[in-house]
Amino acid sequence: MIKLLPLFLPILLAANIAAAQTTLQGVIKNGEGTPLPGATILVKGTNVHALADSVGRFSLETQKDPPFTLLVSFIGHKPKELHVPKQPSGSLQVALTKNDLLSEVVITARRRKETLQNVPIPISVISGALAEDAGAFNVNRLKELVPSVQLYSSNPRNTGLSIRGLGTTFGLTNDGIDPGVGFYVDGVYYARTAATTIDFLDVEQIEVLRGPQGTLFGKNTTAGAFNVTTRKPSFTPGASFELSYGNYGYIQAKSSLTGPLGKKVAARLSFSGTQRDGLLYNVAKNKPTNDLNNLGARAQILFKPSEKVDIILAADATRQRPDGYAQVYAGTAPTLRAGYRQFNSIITDLNYKLPTLNPFDRVIDHDTPWQSYQDFGGVSLNVDIQLGPGKLTSTTAYRYWNWDPSNDRDFTGLQALALSQAPSKHKQWSQEVRWAGSLHPRLSAVFGVFAFGQQLDPDGAHTEESGRDQWRFSQSTTSDLWKTPGLFDGYGIKSYPRLKTFSGAFFGQLDWKISNRLNLLPGLRFNYDDKKVDFRRDTYGGLQTEDPQLIALKNLVYTSQAFKTDIDDTNLSGQLTLAFKVNSRINTFATFSTGFKPIGLNLGGLPTASGKTMLELAVIKPEEVRHYEVGIKTSPSPNSTVNLTVYNTDISDYQTQVQAADLSVNRGYLANAEKVRVRGAELDANIKIKDFLSFYGALAYTDGKYVTFKNAPPPLEETGGPTFKDISGGELPGISKWAASLGGEVTAAGKLLGHDGNFFLALDSYYRSSFSSNPTPSKYLVVDSYVLLNGRVGFRAPNGLSLFVWGRNLLDKDYFEQLLPGAGNAGHYAGVLGDPRTYGVTIRYSL
């Protein structure tokens, strides 16, 4: 990438060179008339600039003929654009206003540019600059800045993204279910939650919308949406380069180039690469594991045939090759099975000893390689046309995801589950057309149509294979037949799950300005979904025998099964919001909305009962959502905001992922809980003190319960007891009752190596209370509360050099991100560890 820069920069800058020369002179002061030495004056669209001297005077020579625009900026002041006419006369007098107020945050969640405080939706906004400085280069790190967001990942495919505890089912992924949180990048819907594990590429802003948003976005969202906006091509040449080094061999490089390719064409090229050594040590392989190995690139071409038309063609590709996502042994729960079926008894009989009983030693001895290889990318065409009093937008996209994993799901050095692999290929296409604008001075609207198709196939086959020690884990009687040599060694299943879906929708929302203070916002969505599943599973290997008793033992471990389903459904949902503006500083709103999540189809195999496959579990009912919300957005002063939201969500036929003791469905299967309720409150606040000190804080209280779930599987410690359990009143998984983020930054204007900017010190903290880490509450699978502290100190320049030292998890807190039972529920369970203390330095240079 760096070697290519000399080739690109002359091309990007050549379009701005002309023959004539113009000299401009003037003085730059602040609002009180004090000169601003060092202020920058830039000719917009070029790299021609000048600096004000000790008394604020400047002289600027340019080969570009007027008219043009000057960009005037100075640290701690609001930048200003100044139009220079074709025949300028006299000295320019420029006055800059101090920037000691909170900047107005502009969002596009409602498909038009609006200020955050005026939108009657609870939204958290993270700028790309803050995400970059805070080291939040993917969603998992971003959640530390937005406490209502939960993300759990035991590998990219097994990633759950939730808002307010709702969204993706908790546990190992079942591909037959739709996510409840929409993830959009530049208007393109990403269907697989694995997308949340890739590195952000040149992000401008991330908007996190909380609550159902089906009347604003193409794909239905029952819990919220991530609206990610990347930086667009610019006709003003620019470039940025960033390099970070840290402990554990951490290296991250980013670069971005933009500029004109002609009068009506501009381009942008972005790159990101991240590498880090493993944070665990595998004594069986004598090497670290759980490393990072990510590469990503994005290219965009902007064609602007007129001021009313923008056409952007974009393509991106990400490649990840980590030796990682290994989980560590975290503990053992006694079950209700016979003594010889307890985990400690099993490993004793096999003469096996765990390498450590302390998961935070970060030592494993797994014999099956861990890998989580994925390729992710696509192409999109976005067309924006100013049409009448609004904008018509068409977004066409194709995306792919290729997944190549290897896991050791027994979490030990034993050959119990020798292979656990689910290589997959996913393709999707989408088309959205919408119009957003004004129908009347008091009536605006968003209308859209959306079509989406996807196909998910195994890349070969999904494989689960037993090893030489599987007999002891599966042994359910005292018969010596279990010890038959080679009975289970190499015995496994190959599954062929194939999924095709189509989703189409009409959606729209009105905004009726009843009076200058009162707005009514009704919205409707009509959705059609069609899903086809063809599932086949075949057994193979193991001891070849005709002995019916040995065959019966093998069938207790794995059986063949197959089913096909073709089902479609329609749904009408909507929302009604009443927004009242008390005065210029206080906005209130109340919302009632309904939503749904389409029918789910089990793609991970089905449990058996009395030797028969439970085919009645192949299809699960759609979720039905009723959501109530009230909120208030306030600006107590020009330099502060305080927002509060209180909500209640009721869900019928909640789609949940449950774990079975049946090894052949060790990934779990989908089921419906009759009724679920989530309620809570969220408080967000920001304040800026003068131009040198700022604070932010967010607090989320979330209470999620199964109101009714009578036929849930038992928790880990009750394996061996009744097959089902009534867990009505139990906690929903993955939800901390309390979560909070608190941070701040202090700055001081200064100069480093000839560059004007700010010295700064910033701290970010994140707290989560304990939460259940199993679909059925288990006293053993509870993640304890934890606090993380991150910080950075250095120098930041708007243009030129930036340099800072950073640290994450500065207190070196040992904590779990997730706990999950071992395959077959022998009693042991594993943990996904949070990162230890990391630190490093980042150097950034922008032109």
Side-chain angles (χ1 to χ4, degrees), residues 138 449 480 703 776:
N138 58 28
V449 59
D480 286 339
D703 180 26
T776 297

Side-chain angles (χ1 to χ4, degrees), residues 109-170:
R110 295 203 298 171
R111 309 311 188 181
R112 54 187 182 269
K113 291 186 177 181
E114 303 172 286
T115 58
L116 176 63
Q117 290 298 97
N118 288 331
V119 177
I121 300 173
I123 305 177
S124 298
V125 179
I126 304 297
S127 68
L130 174 59
E132 289 168 350
D133 286 353
F137 58 82
N138 58 28
V139 177
N140 194 35
R141 291 192 170 187
L142 188 74
K143 71 183 182 185
E144 297 171 10
L145 302 174
V146 187
S148 293
V149 172
Q150 299 93 25
L151 186 139
Y152 312 96
S153 182
S154 56
N155 66 39
R157 179 173 182 257
N158 295 320
T159 297
L161 176 63
S162 297
I163 296 175
R164 297 172 170 173
L166 300 173
T168 311
T169 53
F170 190 89

Side-chain angles (χ1 to χ4, degrees), residues 612-631:
K612 295 183 178 181
T613 303
M614 300 176 69
L615 294 176
E616 66 273 17
L617 295 176
V619 178
I620 63 169
K621 300 175 185 177
E623 284 186 0
E624 294 185 2
V625 179
R626 289 182 177 271
H627 177 77
Y628 309 85
E629 186 168 77
V630 293

Side-chain angles (χ1 to χ4, degrees), residues 634-773:
T634 71
S635 300
S637 67
N639 61 350
S640 64
T641 62
V642 179
N643 302 331
L644 174 67
T645 306
V646 179
Y647 65 90
N648 183 93
T649 305
D650 296 312
I651 302 177
S652 299
D653 295 318
Y654 174 73
Q655 297 174 347
T656 184
Q657 179 89 347
V658 297
Q659 187 76 20
D662 187 344
L663 183 65
S664 66
V665 286
N666 77 84
R667 304 189 64 79
Y669 63 95
L670 297 172
N672 287 114
E674 293 89 340
K675 190 172 182 180
V676 158
R677 185 215 69 215
V678 178
R679 61 178 52 156
E682 297 159 334
L683 180 67
D684 298 272
N686 289 271
I687 186 170
K688 187 170 185 179
I689 302 174
K690 297 298 182 181
D691 58 352
F692 63 90
L693 188 61
S694 61
F695 293 99
Y696 77 89
L699 177 66
Y701 169 78
T702 313
D703 180 26
K705 293 186 180 301
Y706 294 106
V707 177
T708 309
F709 194 5
K710 295 181 179 179
N711 292 309
L716 179 61
E717 61 268 29
E718 295 181 26
T719 302
T723 304
F724 296 101
K725 181 179 181 179
D726 185 349
I727 61 170
S728 301
E731 291 184 1
L732 285 177
I735 298 179
S736 294
K737 280 203 171 182
W738 294 99
S741 300
L742 179 65
E745 181 176 281
V746 58
T747 64
K751 182 176 290 189
L752 180 67
L753 300 178
H755 296 275
D756 292 306
N758 280 325
F759 291 96
F760 70 94
L761 169 65
L763 292 174
D764 304 305
S765 60
Y766 175 59
Y767 167 76
R768 286 202 66 178
S769 64
S770 61
F771 62 90
S772 169
S773 188

